[in-house]
């Protein structure tokens, strides 16, 4: 059993982060909640982290014009993070960050990759594309992060049906519900050795 020391990168609401925190607190996931970093001063994720007494930091090109990635890595290493969780982080991840954690950087994507991935395919853009193309299934994907958007090795996927009456908003809601469980399930499997990263 590997004890996961989790560091979160989040740009907005951090609902997936909160779901993981709740599962750690409930004893479902054996992990330490080490640090939260956002590039967005007004991110609710920072507020959520502080409410949970998790060290929280703002790091972006304004706070660290020349070395924001180095500062992110410095903070995560200072708090002994061994697994980095992207929870709606809206900034490209550098090779430096990926290499600093031996590739142990995870992301969740609100579609079944490789479809509907890549630059510009995030949040509601993904769900709009799925609805527009009249797909009958969508879902969520957990993958390792590499230097190309949404191209890292897939660790797990979960499907949901897209109903004829679904809108972008209802689909987003349905996908978010499965995301919350899927992220924790994957982390449990990493912790107990079922998934090796």
């Amino acid at each position: 059993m590997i004890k996961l020391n989790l560091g979160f990168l989040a740009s907005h609401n951090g609902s997936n982060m909160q779901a993981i925190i709740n599962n750690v607190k409930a004893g479902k996931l054996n992990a330490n909640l080490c640090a939260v970093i956002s590039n967005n001063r007004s991110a609710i994720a920072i507020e959520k982290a502080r409410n949970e007494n998790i060290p929280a930091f703002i790091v972006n090109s304004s706070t660290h014009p020349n070395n924001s990635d180095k500062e992110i890595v410095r903070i995560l290493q200072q708090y002994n993070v061994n697994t980095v969780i992207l929870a709606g982080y809206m900034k490209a991840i550098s090779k430096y960050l990926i290499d600093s954690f031996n590739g142990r950087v995870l992301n969740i994507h609100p579609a079944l990759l490789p479809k509907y991935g890549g630059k510009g395919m995030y949040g509601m853009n993904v769900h709009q594309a799925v609805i527009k193309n009249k797909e009958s299934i969508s879902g969520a994907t957990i993958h390792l992060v590499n230097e190309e958007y949404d191209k890292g090795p897939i660790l797990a996927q979960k499907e949901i049906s897209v109903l004829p009456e679904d809108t972008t908003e209802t689909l987003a809601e349905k996908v978010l519900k499965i995301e919350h469980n899927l992220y924790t399930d994957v982390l449990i499997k990493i912790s107990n050795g079922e998934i090796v990263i």
Side-chain angles (χ1 to χ4, degrees):
M1 177 87 62
I2 304 155
K3 182 84 168 190
L4 300 181
N5 292 338
L6 304 179
F8 298 89
L9 301 183
S11 293
H12 295 293
N13 191 35
S15 72
N16 273 306
M17 177 191 82
Q18 186 67 58
I20 292 167
I21 290 169
N22 293 347
N23 285 320
V24 169
K25 286 167 67 178
K28 290 181 185 169
L29 171 62
N30 180 27
N32 295 316
L33 303 164
C34 300
V36 174
I37 299 173
S38 183
N39 60 325
N40 174 9
R41 249 176 221 296
S42 54
I44 294 168
I46 290 291
E47 209 177 294
K48 288 178 175 175
R50 289 180 178 145
N51 289 340
E52 301 287 353
N53 295 313
I54 303 167
F57 305 88
I58 306 292
V59 180
N60 57 37
S61 54
S62 298
T63 63
H64 296 80
N66 303 317
N67 63 354
S68 60
D69 282 339
K70 283 186 176 165
E71 179 62 8
I72 289 169
V73 169
R74 188 195 68 74
I75 292 167
L76 295 175
Q77 288 176 340
Q78 179 188 339
Y79 286 89
N80 299 314
V81 168
N82 61 19
T83 307
V84 180
I85 304 296
L86 305 188
Y89 189 62
M90 308 306 285
K91 188 174 175 290
I93 301 299
S94 69
K95 184 176 188 311
Y96 176 72
L97 195 155
I98 294 164
D99 291 348
S100 296
F101 291 93
N102 299 316
R104 292 176 65 90
V105 181
L106 282 71
N107 185 44
I108 191 157
H109 187 77
L112 299 172
L113 293 175
K115 267 187 163 185
Y116 305 108
K119 199 161 186 180
M121 279 287 120
Y122 59 86
M124 292 308 242
N125 295 353
V126 175
H127 305 305
Q128 280 167 357
V130 169
I131 295 278
K132 186 181 169 194
N133 291 333
K134 298 184 170 24
E135 297 284 0
S136 59
I137 60 162
S138 187
T141 302
I142 308 276
H143 66 96
L144 292 177
V145 174
N146 63 16
E147 290 171 85
E148 290 185 86
Y149 282 105
D150 303 324
K151 292 281 173 84
I154 291 170
L155 301 180
Q157 293 185 309
K158 190 167 173 78
E159 292 183 1
I160 56 159
S161 297
V162 181
L163 304 176
E165 64 269 23
D166 270 322
T167 63
T168 303
E169 289 74 21
T170 62
L171 181 58
E173 221 171 279
K174 282 159 59 170
V175 170
L176 194 60
K177 273 185 192 163
I178 63 167
E179 283 184 16
H180 288 172
N181 294 322
L182 186 62
Y183 230 153
T184 293
D185 290 348
V186 166
L187 291 171
I188 289 168
K189 286 176 178 171
I190 291 169
S191 175
N192 67 24
E194 277 179 72
I195 293 176
V196 178
I197 61 172

